[in-house]
Each structure stands twice: as structure tokens, then as C-alpha cells.
Amino acid sequence: MKVKDLKEQLDLVLVAGEAGLGQTIQGGYCGDLLSDVMANATEHCVWLTVQAHQNIVAVAVLKEMAAIIITCGNTPDKATCDTADQEKIPLFLSERSAFDLAWALARSDTD
Amino acid sequence: MGSLVKIFPIKHRDFIHAGKPSIEIKNILKTLNTPREIIRRVAVCGYEGEMNVVMHARNGQIRLELSNTMIIIKITDKGPGIPDIDQAMEKGFSTALDEFREMGFGAGMGLPNMKKNADRFEIRSTPEKGTTVRMEFATGER
């Protein structure tokens, strides 16, 4: 599945990192503790988190993630979006929880 | 091949730039065709080390050294130091402020993650002065 397919499947709002929409997603990770994410998230995953501060983009770049979904209605500031644009990390927003989104994604992903 | 040394400064509470030195180090290692498995471990250690300085110290630096057979990451800071290193190495122990915990830091996983991912890990600290963490990653002959 490509990152761009996530948007429609999960009804997400894209706020930054459009240049990375063509990436292929391989797996996902839900986590809000950054050390846990650094330790356990896998490359090319989509990361679901309530964290919305600028440092999440550094984590995504270091782990070579495909995209970030900021969950539960949390919103990033402009600096976070600017960094995501620079680093080509698609940043999506959703009102739904990480569990809801992961559930919906697992059910819809037939690839 | 001779050794290459690069030094990147780290500032207290600078969450905006935190992580960028580790990203640069990762990019340098990639251009040198370092095995991905090693790059992944260096990235975890660099990032965790940077965040410790950002949260706990006044300022510091991360130093990358590449020799023929290993990568050395040394993180040095001026700060309060660690009074009890054994306690600091325990999983789950953290002195991070609540405001940093709310950002997802301070889980008490940083130092254990660094030790786990480095081939050799040394930490030295002097209270009221600062802390140095040195990590080696064996690369074999380049």
C-alpha cells in the first residue's frame, strides 16, 4: 500500500510532507513514548501517535518511516509541519484513536 | 583510510534541532556504505544520547569518529551529572521533568537502549560537572 492510499482509506487530513506520498508502507507502529518507538518501530512503517511536537519528525527520519498519523485530534505547530515538508515525511491528522485507525487499516489492507 | 571526526553541538531544551545531528551522522554512514543494521543501531544511540543532553544538561556535543574498523559515538555534556549510574541504567528509571514526559520522553529507556545497541558502552559522570557516554560499533575493515 502507498502512503497516498492511506488518506482515503482512513479519511485523514494531510497537513505536511506531500512529497513523500508515493512511498510504500510496510507495517505500522502505535506508540507515544519516543524511546519505545525508536527501539521498536520498523523501517517504512506508518506511525500512529498522539504526539504532535516537532521532534516526532526527527524520530520518523531516523527510523526511515513512510508516514506519521497524529491521532485523537492532536495538531502539530507550523514548525513541525515545516520540518515534515523539508524531510518529505507525510504528516496526517485524525480525530480517531490509534486503535481505531490500526483496526480500520488492517481490515482494509488487502495487499 | 584515515579517521574522520565530526562534532555537533547540542543545546538544552532545543527540541527543534534535537535529532538533526543523528540524522546527519546517519547520512554520513549511508554514503560510506555502512551496513544498514549498524546504521540503525547508531541512530538509536545517537538520538537517545542527544535527548538526554537536551533534557538534563546545560549543553553538550555529539562526536562521531570513524576509524578503519569502528564507529565511535561520544556524547559529552556540561550539566548536573548522574549521582547513581547503576540506578540511571535501570529500565524505567528517569528524572525527566513532567513537561518532557508529556512529550513522550523520560520513559527511562534511553540509557538501556544505548547500552543494548552499542557493541561497547561506557558512561562516566561527575556530579555538578557533567556526563560522558562513549559507544563503539564494530564495522570490520572498511
Side-chain angles (χ1 to χ4, degrees):
Chain A
M1 177 190 263
K2 300 277 187 195
V3 174
K4 63 177 183 231
D5 301 327
L6 274 180
K7 191 174 182 298
E8 272 189 30
Q9 294 225 14
L10 299 176
D11 196 20
L12 305 171
V13 178
L14 178 73
V15 290
E18 196 173 356
L21 288 179
Q23 283 226 52
T24 301
I25 297 168
Q26 291 170 5
Y29 199 76
C30 301
D32 306 319
L33 291 175
L34 302 192
S35 285
D36 165 58
V37 176
M38 277 305 292
N40 298 314
T42 51
E43 285 179 15
H44 312 298
C45 73
V46 53
W47 175 25
L48 286 68
T49 181
V50 296
Q51 300 295 351
H53 55 77
Q54 201 184 25
N55 209 252
I56 60 174
V57 180
V59 171
V61 174
L62 280 168
K63 296 299 285 188
E64 298 191 18
M65 292 179 179
I68 305 173
I69 305 175
I70 300 174
T71 61
C72 295
N74 291 290
T75 51
D77 60 14
K78 186 176 180 302
T80 307
C81 294
D82 289 347
T83 310
D85 278 333
Q86 282 162 23
E87 300 290 353
K88 302 183 178 67
I89 300 281
L91 207 55
F92 294 104
L93 308 185
S94 175
E95 295 292 325
R96 298 163 79 183
S97 73
F99 179 88
D100 271 0
L101 291 166
W103 177 262
L105 190 58
R107 279 164 52 116
S108 67
D109 187 12
T110 51
D111 292 346
Chain B
M1 192 176 123
S3 71
L4 178 150
V5 173
K6 281 226 162 202
I7 293 170
F8 306 87
I10 309 169
K11 281 198 294 192
H12 181 52
R13 283 181 176 266
D14 185 359
F15 287 98
I16 290 173
H17 296 104
K20 289 194 175 159
S22 294
I23 292 169
E24 278 197 51
I25 288 170
K26 181 173 178 165
N27 290 337
I28 291 169
L29 296 179
K30 266 188 174 175
T31 61
L32 297 172
N33 293 320
T34 309
R36 294 181 73 84
E37 174 271 331
I38 296 175
I39 296 179
R40 273 196 290 271
R41 291 192 286 122
V42 172
V44 170
C45 292
Y47 178 79
E48 293 289 5
E50 279 190 63
M51 297 322 300
N52 282 344
V53 176
V54 169
M55 284 189 292
H56 299 289
R58 287 191 297 280
N59 58 62
Q61 65 175 40
I62 176 166
R63 179 182 185 275
L64 166 71
E65 181 179 344
L66 300 171
S67 77
N68 284 346
T69 56
M70 70 174 79
I71 299 160
I72 301 165
I73 299 283
K74 191 170 169 187
I75 296 151
T76 312
D77 72 52
K78 288 181 179 145
I82 302 170
D84 185 338
I85 287 177
D86 287 342
Q87 190 180 36
M89 292 303 301
E90 283 174 17
K91 282 185 188 171
F93 178 82
S94 175
T95 58
L97 301 174
D98 284 348
E99 64 177 297
F100 299 149
R101 289 178 198 255
E102 282 166 16
M103 293 170 76
F105 301 106
M109 293 171 68
L111 287 172
N113 274 355
M114 291 158 80
K115 187 176 182 185
K116 183 178 156 195
N117 280 286
D119 291 320
R120 190 182 158 98
F121 174 92
E122 286 173 4
I123 179 165
R124 286 180 195 166
S125 190
T126 309
E128 308 305 324
K129 289 209 166 158
T131 301
T132 298
V133 176
R134 184 180 184 280
M135 293 167 284
E136 290 179 7
F137 305 84
T139 54
E141 286 290 330
R142 283 175 196 275

